[in-house]
Amino acid sequence: MKKPFPVPFIELSHQRRLIRKELDRALKRVIDSDRFVLSEEVKTFEAAIEKTARVGHAIGVASGTDALYLSLWAVGVKPGDEVITTPFTFFATGGAISRLGAKPVFVDVEADTFNIDPRRVEAAVTARTRAIIPVHLYGLCADMDPILSIAKKRGLSVIEDAAQAYGASYKGKMAGSMGDAGCYSFYPTKNLGGLGDGGMVVTSRADLNEKIRVCRDNGSRRKYIHDFIGVNSRLDELQAAALNVKLKHIAAWTRERQDLAAEYARGLKGLPLEVPFAPIKSGHVYHLYTIKTEHRDALAAHLGAHRIGCGIYYPLPLHLQPCYADLGYRKGSLPVAESLPKVVLSLPMYNGLKPAAVRAVTACIRDFFAKHK
Ligand SMILES: *Cc1c(COP(=O)(O)O)cnc(C)c1O
């Protein structure tokens, strides 16, 4: 093996350098306009997303977390209701449900896709179930057809958590466009990331669009007249301006991630590990590139010793989080979701990562397994 060189787990500087001039111009335009909230940049960004995601309405909000909260509120989730979701996700998915006084009901995941197992969803539906939140984890869409058909049959709303999946697709449809509403996050490290917090709800339902648009602005349709109690959750102009710049590059950046994933798959072929499951035409956007191996801790230490960054998403499933102790789940409740934290390992994946760096990572992993036969 050649002398190792550092490969950080994530690096935003390549992207920044590529668009720095465009960003400077866009931010300056906002600063000099003296309009910082819900103005031209947000309108332009919402219209662009409506077009690319092929949805009727896009509503810029303050974060992905708020996008989930506002969507659940808009479909009518109330205290005491139940919302079915996956335990193997970022905490915000469950937190948004709880913040409305509703109860998250966790359904186990598929070991290969890491996403909610549609075959287990229907058994979790009760008279109190109002909605299902499938999460498109790491950039791969959950198996939406069976989820949508159960929802239709049982009269439930579907809110897609597409925080990690902007640009991903499922059978030709965009992540976020298949349910009643879809939620994006523009947290800086997401595959479409802003310069701070930001989020968006997309929906083709005019009633949800109307409700969420008003709710994000303190429930006010006309200035200082409040039809209901809303929140302050607006996307600001500076974020929207930066995102308008990035949106022009996102298709190329997604292809770059997919090419890097193919490079990883080639380099890892034949090793006793699982590369990300990607059904043909899966439309995976590789927000994260996550492998599975029984030797995870030793491999992570080996990579660390060779100055290669890696990460564990997520170390503790939601149903076992301390704050959810009162939901009554125990160790063993959801065995697949509980097994994954011990075997998942996310490898470096970002725009500007060089194929040669991916080959250095895969060579380092091959070296590890040569010693661990
Ligand atoms: C990032 C993320 C969120 C929350 O988005 P924020 O913009 O950070 O509030 C929700 N769900 C998932 C799956 C995420 O990865």
Side-chain angles (χ1 to χ4, degrees):
M1 214 180 107
K2 272 197 300 195
K3 193 171 174 287
F5 59 94
V7 183
F9 177 60
I10 185 156
E11 181 90 273
L12 299 177
S13 59
H14 304 280
Q15 225 187 43
R16 165 168 54 75
R17 278 196 288 275
L18 191 68
I19 59 168
R20 182 57 201 260
K21 287 213 178 77
E22 282 178 274
L23 274 180
D24 283 348
R25 275 197 299 275
L27 298 184
K28 183 173 186 308
R29 200 166 59 230
V30 175
I31 294 166
D32 292 336
S33 77
D34 297 321
R35 301 184 65 115
F36 300 108
V37 172
L38 297 188
S39 191
E40 290 313 310
E41 295 289 343
V42 170
K43 282 186 202 134
T44 303
F45 183 57
E46 290 180 342
I49 297 272
E50 283 164 6
K51 218 168 129 206
T52 51
R54 285 177 266 141
V55 286
H57 314 278
I59 308 126
V61 299
S63 67
T65 305
D66 276 3
L68 289 164
Y69 171 87
L70 289 163
S71 300
L72 289 166
W73 170 84
V75 299
V77 170
K78 300 215 162 41
D81 287 346
E82 293 176 2
V83 177
I84 292 171
T85 193
T86 162
F88 196 59
T89 176
F90 178 61
F91 179 75
T93 317
I97 299 167
S98 306
R99 241 208 303 164
L100 281 156
K103 182 179 155 197
V105 173
F106 297 111
V107 165
D108 213 351
V109 295
E110 299 175 316
D112 51 359
T113 66
F114 306 111
N115 285 325
I116 193 167
D117 186 343
R119 287 160 303 186
R120 298 179 209 256
V121 169
E122 194 154 16
V125 177
T126 72
R128 301 194 137 182
T129 311
R130 290 294 303 220
I132 308 171
I133 309 183
V135 179
H136 307 315
L137 202 72
Y138 307 147
L140 175 68
C141 284
D143 191 6
M144 290 299 289
D145 278 349
I147 295 169
L148 291 166
S149 91
I150 293 162
K152 193 165 175 208
K153 188 166 120 198
R154 308 296 294 258
L156 310 173
S157 299
V158 175
I159 312 287
E160 297 174 67
D161 182 341
Q164 303 186 2
Y166 180 81
S169 62
Y170 172 85
K171 302 186 182 175
K173 298 192 192 96
M174 292 280 293
S177 73
M178 294 171 273
D180 294 270
C183 301
Y184 302 131
S185 163
F186 307 123
Y187 184 78
T189 56
K190 297 290 159 82
N191 55 321
L192 175 57
L195 305 177
D197 279 309
M200 181 160 267
V201 180
V202 292
T203 181
S204 292
R205 282 179 52 181
D207 61 327
L208 298 185
N209 172 52
E210 161 75 6
K211 277 185 172 170
I212 294 168
R213 237 169 241 291
V214 176
C215 191
R216 76 170 166 183
D217 203 14
N218 271 309
S220 153
R221 236 180 236 109
R222 294 158 292 160
K223 221 166 190 202
Y224 305 123
I225 307 298
H226 299 265
D227 299 313
F228 51 83
I229 300 161
V231 296
N232 173 359
S233 182
R234 302 174 295 232
L235 183 66
D236 71 65
E237 287 284 292
L238 284 168
Q239 290 310 328
L243 289 162
N244 279 326
V245 170
K246 291 203 175 187
L247 204 53
K248 287 188 243 158
H249 300 272
I250 191 70
W253 287 342
T254 297
R255 277 194 300 276
E256 183 186 12
R257 283 175 184 274
Q258 290 166 337
D259 290 346
L260 291 168
E263 188 75 52
Y264 268 122
R266 274 192 294 278
L268 297 173
K269 212 167 179 177
L271 293 177
L273 55 76
E274 278 179 52
V275 297
F277 175 80
I280 308 224
K281 296 192 193 151
S282 67
H284 201 319
V285 294
Y286 300 100
H287 164 61
L288 290 172
Y289 187 89
T290 305
I291 61 169
K292 287 200 294 181
T293 165
E294 298 299 326
H295 303 284
R296 198 273 312 277
D297 288 339
L299 176 58
H302 175 83
L303 290 172
H306 290 81
R307 296 196 294 162
I308 292 170
C310 52
I312 296 166
Y313 298 88
Y314 292 91
L316 187 65
L318 266 50
H319 68 289
L320 299 180
Q321 291 289 342
C323 64
Y324 282 144
D326 61 346
L327 290 180
Y329 293 92
R330 268 168 283 103
K331 271 204 178 123
S333 298
L334 302 170
V336 183
E338 288 168 39
S339 69
L340 293 176
K342 300 181 202 104
V343 295
V344 289
L345 189 66
S346 300
L347 302 176
M349 171 60 80
Y350 42 88
N351 295 112
L353 178 66
K354 298 274 181 293
V358 170
R359 289 192 289 274
V361 176
T362 59
C364 188
I365 296 174
R366 298 199 87 83
D367 183 55
F368 170 83
F369 279 107
K371 291 174 194 145
H372 276 78
K373 277 232 183 83

